[in-house]
Amino acid sequence: MNIFYYDVAVDIPVRRCFTYKSISKIKKGTRVTVPFGRKTLIGIVIKVSSISTSIVKTSAIKEIISVDDQYICFKKPLFNTLLWASEYYHHPIGEVFLSFLPSILRKQTNKSIINIDESSNYKINSTDKNFDLTSEQEIALKKLKKIEEFNPTLIYGVTGSGKTEIYLRLVEKLVQEKKSVLILVPEINLVPQMLDRFKKRFDGEIGAYHSKLTPNQRLKIWLKSRLGGLKIVIGTRSAVMMPLKNIGAIIIDEEHDQSYKQSEGFKFSGRDLAIKRAQLENIPIYLGSATPSLQTLKLVKEKKFKQVNLLNRIDGKKPPKLIPLDISNSPLIGGIAMQTMGIIQSTIAKGEQALIFINRRGFAPLYECDACGWVAKCNSCESNLVFHKSKNRLICHKCESIYGVNDECPDCYSKEINLQGYGTERVEEVLENAFKKIPIIRFDYDSTRLKGAIESIYEKVHSNDAAILVGTQMLSKGHDFPKVTLCVILNADSGLISPEINALEKISQQLIQVSGRAGRNNNLAKVIIQTRYPDDINLKQIKTGNYQKFADQCLQNNKNLDLPPYSHVCILRTSSPKSKGSIDLLQKVSLFLAKKKGISLIGPLPSIPSMIKGNVRHHLIIKASSRSYLNRVLKSLIKDLENWPEIKKTKWSFDIDPYDMS
Ligand SMILES: [Zn+2]
Ligand SMILES: [Zn+2]
């Protein structure tokens, strides 16, 4: 009897595979159950093992318990994308593969079988497209339809230029060719709106895949896609490896959005993984944005990506004006200047809507004793606690710990507690007092958490005329609010003067995205930016609304300073119960890397927050001009590092292409 040996990746944080034997021939990418110590684990067959049976004692090699599916979970292009990802992100291979399986398949060994209606076909609803495209849309669509193979294309479209209609028509073509398509949006809140647009256009089942589904729902959509019963899937970054049969293209909406980056566990960029997948599948990938990332614009400049423009709104109207409002001498009520109040008043008097944007949720970011200066801090991470009035709780926004509210100071027993600063809840309260008869609708993490909350907020916004929306950056992303004619940005300054290297890219995207929410149906839209620096040189540039020109300047700047995307960055993060452990490890790493040419280091630095759940955190920023060189250096570092005694008590992880540098 023939015995075969396989290398299997299992769901544990180890950067290697384990060898097992079997009498069956098993294809790579197949899900198997294997013994592991005293447990059994689910694994993925990575390759036929190259162990030499003449050297290794084969009797010590354990046998694969079962082959769990009748199909291969990860077929070749997906398999190779994930193999690439584990190398590129230097993350344990088993976690990389298994994190893209629905949780049920990650845990259970039972075979999953489902009845699929193979005949699933889409009918195009022609009443939904009973209008003409603008000539600009026609030209863009013609160019985009010609792309048949991997040829990443940026769809640079200002807000209101009809990008979604372009997506719909591209999908129409694919559906007619019997191909399937994956559409990614950056946030779960954007799924319902996109799903709605697609449901109106296509009669037939459209899949939505994101973290708010139950494990069973996720399994069902995954299997249906895998077996060919579902051809259009809309999802967040967790959907990027959706095993769609006969995939014809990937669409990434709002490609610049930081939410594509997963910052916990396996830290990957959903956008970059999608691009790699499209390359290995050899299919077109379309990246849409009104404020493309510098990374994408650089690739366009280097002719590695194509660019198609939609520079005019479909209604033919001009984009809203961005008006900086100097607040250095005006008193603020809950963050709002008197002058701004007046403008809001006249907007709602006309039966129109205003949108107030503030990048902080909760009521007050500082809960402080007036008598002795004590400030409420989180016990496990030292961050300042944010007072949430609606829940009457103090909440840590870094680690989500929740604390009860005491109305006296724990240090001096004074009752003079002061609520400093303002967040969405406070702004909401101020507006409720000022405009008693007008609905004030809050749109932030807290108000949208529950299932169906987004839909009911939409309903409220659309069914009212005069109304005021108050929200965090969540509100700036791709939503349609046709009755909004005024946007107010309460605190742009923190972005304008931030020392972070990608701060300008972030703030310009944010300002232009927020302004894109205004005036979709109206000529007279305004965007007020409250600032203490009305003459700031960058603000003046952003104010023109010409994002591409501003981004070009940022690119040139970063090129001169050898910053990303012209250099490549990895952050090594450590955490340990004692401060010494986490910093000692990074110091040893610094010494190791100091010997390497062409690597520059910043740190070790304390992270923000410096402690999470009782563990002290530090990080080291590692930078190199060449991506492949950085990769090689990190590989040799890991090889060494894994034998160091220091890693026994200190957790460490890599963050490749970090978005957040703190
Ligand atoms: Zn006190
Ligand atoms: Zn905390």
Side-chain angles (χ1 to χ4, degrees):
M1 197 192 300
N2 268 336
I3 295 181
F4 304 97
Y5 296 90
Y6 299 102
D7 286 347
V8 175
V10 290
D11 202 355
I12 55 165
V14 170
R15 286 173 174 74
R16 54 171 281 227
C17 294
F18 296 86
T19 305
Y20 290 91
K21 62 186 170 191
S22 173
I23 50 165
S24 335
K25 269 198 156 173
I26 310 170
K27 289 195 171 132
K28 53 185 191 179
T30 305
R31 198 168 64 107
V32 291
T33 302
V34 293
F36 196 87
R38 286 181 194 167
K39 290 189 281 189
T40 57
L41 291 178
I42 297 283
I44 300 288
V45 172
I46 299 298
K47 61 178 180 13
V48 171
S49 181
S50 55
I51 58 152
S52 159
T53 43
S54 55
I55 301 169
V56 179
K57 237 197 198 168
T58 51
S59 59
I61 295 175
K62 292 181 183 166
E63 203 165 329
I64 288 175
I65 297 172
S66 60
V67 175
D68 294 332
D69 304 299
Q70 291 151 328
Y71 50 83
I72 299 167
C73 278
F74 299 107
K75 284 177 122 180
K76 203 173 167 195
L78 281 183
F79 182 88
N80 287 339
T81 308
L82 291 172
L83 217 50
W84 170 87
S86 80
E87 295 253 316
Y88 182 87
Y89 292 106
H90 300 277
H91 195 85
I93 182 167
E95 289 189 345
V96 170
F97 273 85
L98 285 135
S99 64
F100 288 106
L101 280 183
S103 56
I104 292 181
L105 295 186
R106 227 175 139 159
K107 287 185 208 121
Q108 289 175 6
T109 55
N110 60 330
K111 292 191 192 346
S112 41
I113 298 169
I114 187 172
N115 291 326
I116 302 292
D117 171 18
E118 285 279 1
S119 64
S120 117
N121 266 325
Y122 296 98
K123 258 195 235 121
I124 293 153
N125 181 2
S126 55
T127 50
D128 186 56
K129 47 180 282 195
N130 198 7
F131 56 88
D132 292 329
L133 294 181
T134 64
S135 58
E136 205 180 29
Q137 280 176 315
E138 291 277 10
I139 294 166
L141 189 63
K142 213 173 149 192
K143 281 189 199 159
L144 294 168
K145 274 185 174 171
K146 270 192 202 148
I147 304 169
E148 296 279 345
E149 298 181 329
F150 176 67
N151 200 340
T153 307
L154 165 66
I155 306 176
Y156 173 51
V158 301
T159 33
S161 63
K163 275 195 299 289
T164 313
E165 185 57 36
I166 299 286
Y167 301 158
L168 288 164
R169 308 247 172 166
L170 285 170
V171 172
E172 216 173 276
K173 175 183 173 253
L174 290 160
V175 164
Q176 280 159 356
E177 292 167 355
K178 305 269 178 247
K179 287 180 183 157
S180 60
V181 60
L182 175 66
I183 300 136
L184 296 181
V185 294
E187 270 195 15
I188 195 165
N189 294 330
L190 293 167
V191 174
Q193 181 176 296
M194 193 63 93
L195 193 62
D196 207 45
R197 289 289 297 269
F198 274 80
K199 278 186 172 165
K200 277 187 185 138
R201 182 64 51 92
F202 300 97
D203 284 332
E205 192 185 349
I206 294 170
Y209 194 82
H210 51 75
S211 57
K212 275 190 193 164
L213 300 179
T214 64
N216 266 320
Q217 287 171 322
R218 278 168 82 90
L219 176 66
K220 212 170 160 189
I221 290 169
W222 192 90
L223 282 175
K224 272 197 158 181
S225 309
R226 172 67 188 78
L227 303 173
L230 203 52
K231 294 199 179 72
I232 305 175
V233 172
I234 298 167
T236 51
R237 60 169 191 255
S238 65
V240 61
M241 291 290 129
M242 190 55 53
L244 284 157
K245 208 172 171 181
N246 195 19
I247 189 169
I250 302 176
I251 294 170
I252 304 189
D253 194 28
E254 312 287 345
E255 68 87 27
H256 64 278
D257 200 292
Q258 60 167 311
S259 300
Y260 280 119
K261 178 77 198 256
Q262 176 149 305
S263 51
E264 298 295 324
F266 171 35
K267 303 178 183 71
F268 68 95
S269 152
R271 174 196 56 197
D272 296 348
L273 217 49
I275 295 171
K276 191 67 195 179
R277 177 177 179 185
Q279 185 189 14
L280 296 176
E281 305 258 16
N282 195 23
I283 53 170
I285 180 163
Y286 308 103
L287 301 104
S289 178
T291 52
S293 61
L294 294 186
Q295 183 192 336
T296 296
L297 289 171
K298 172 179 173 268
L299 291 164
V300 170
K301 268 184 193 299
E302 291 167 349
K303 304 227 176 331
K304 289 176 184 150
F305 281 20
K306 275 190 176 177
Q307 179 172 342
V308 165
N309 290 332
L310 294 169
L311 302 178
N312 299 294
R313 298 164 66 118
I314 41 175
D315 56 15
K317 287 168 182 164
K318 293 255 178 306
K321 269 207 159 87
L322 278 75
I323 306 163
L325 179 76
D326 188 355
I327 51 162
S328 23
N329 296 315
S330 43
L332 304 180
I333 314 158
I336 308 172
M338 285 309 287
Q339 212 179 328
T340 308
M341 278 292 194
I343 303 170
I344 297 174
Q345 166 75 60
S346 63
T347 302
I348 53 177
K350 283 185 275 180
E352 295 166 357
Q353 297 181 347
L355 187 160
I356 317 298
F357 174 74
I358 157 137
N359 225 347
R360 203 181 290 130
R361 63 192 178 94
F363 188 85
L366 217 55
Y367 191 82
E368 190 184 44
C369 168
D370 250 2
C372 76
W374 166 86
V375 170
K377 282 184 186 292
C378 174
N379 291 335
S380 60
C381 78
E382 305 250 287
S383 304
N384 291 339
L385 293 175
V386 178
F387 177 60
H388 283 243
K389 197 169 182 177
S390 57
K391 299 187 179 109
N392 197 31
R393 288 282 183 274
L394 289 160
I395 300 178
C396 172
H397 285 189
K398 292 291 177 187
C399 71
E400 294 300 322
S401 302
I402 300 172
Y403 299 81
V405 176
N406 232 330
D407 54 2
E408 65 180 27
C409 168
D411 276 6
C412 74
Y413 308 108
S414 157
K415 293 215 180 233
E416 286 169 59
I417 297 290
N418 193 5
L419 300 172
Q420 288 274 16
Y422 51 90
T424 45
E425 284 188 0
R426 185 172 227 157
V427 175
E428 179 189 26
E429 189 181 276
V430 167
L431 291 167
E432 269 167 358
N433 289 330
F435 306 105
K436 292 227 155 62
K437 287 179 185 152
I438 302 295
I440 314 288
I441 302 157
R442 180 157 55 86
F443 195 110
D444 58 17
Y445 174 76
D446 306 289
S447 73
T448 57
R449 265 175 94 166
L450 295 176
K451 212 175 166 190
I454 288 281
E455 288 81 354
S456 77
I457 287 179
Y458 267 129
E459 161 63 25
K460 231 171 158 181
V461 176
H462 294 309
S463 64
N464 278 291
D465 284 329
I468 305 174
L469 284 87
V470 178
T472 56
Q473 90 272 8
M474 221 183 228
L475 199 50
S476 72
K477 294 179 180 179
H479 296 283
D480 283 332
F481 300 120
K483 291 176 200 164
V484 169
T485 60
L486 171 70
C487 284
V488 179
I489 292 144
L490 293 187
N491 59 344
D493 289 351
S494 54
L496 284 172
I497 55 170
S498 161
E500 261 194 84
I501 55 178
N502 48 1
L504 277 179
E505 181 185 359
K506 281 192 208 172
I507 186 73
S508 61
Q509 286 170 344
Q510 221 167 61
L511 291 180
I512 290 176
Q513 290 289 342
V514 174
S515 71
R517 301 310 118 219
R520 291 202 147 194
N521 283 353
N522 194 300
N523 235 346
L524 301 163
K526 256 191 245 172
V527 178
I528 306 283
I529 303 169
Q530 292 193 166
T531 175
R532 290 189 166 80
Y533 312 94
D535 298 321
D536 179 86
I537 183 160
N538 293 308
L539 185 57
K540 278 189 170 162
Q541 191 49 254
I542 298 168
K543 202 177 83 177
T544 64
N546 189 339
Y547 175 79
Q548 184 134 27
K549 194 172 162 207
F550 180 70
D552 274 349
Q553 284 174 9
C554 287
L555 267 180
Q556 190 55 47
N557 219 4
N558 288 11
K559 190 175 184 179
N560 297 341
L561 298 171
D562 196 31
L563 292 174
Y566 290 94
S567 60
H568 304 279
V569 172
C570 161
I571 296 188
L572 176 55
R573 298 184 186 279
T574 55
S575 79
S576 63
K578 284 184 188 141
S579 170
K580 209 171 158 329
S582 106
I583 200 150
D584 280 359
L585 181 63
L586 289 182
Q587 260 151 6
K588 196 164 171 186
V589 170
S590 301
L591 283 176
F592 178 91
L593 292 175
K595 289 179 236 152
K596 311 274 178 191
K597 270 188 219 156
I599 294 280
S600 44
L601 302 173
I602 305 172
L605 301 165
S607 306
I608 303 172
S610 60
M611 203 156 84
I612 285 186
K613 296 196 174 138
N615 282 310
V616 184
R617 304 163 72 234
H618 287 90
H619 66 278
L620 176 70
I621 302 176
I622 306 165
K623 199 181 85 170
S625 303
S626 144
R627 154 85 56 212
S628 53
Y629 178 64
L630 178 64
N631 224 329
R632 277 206 305 281
V633 169
L634 294 180
K635 244 188 191 165
S636 74
L637 170 65
I638 293 171
K639 227 176 159 185
D640 231 60
L641 185 78
E642 285 189 323
N643 299 315
W644 296 357
E646 285 88 347
I647 62 165
K648 290 215 171 78
K649 282 178 185 157
T650 302
K651 278 192 188 152
W652 59 278
S653 69
F654 283 125
D655 188 353
I656 306 284
D657 309 327
Y659 195 83
D660 185 2
M661 305 273 185
S662 56

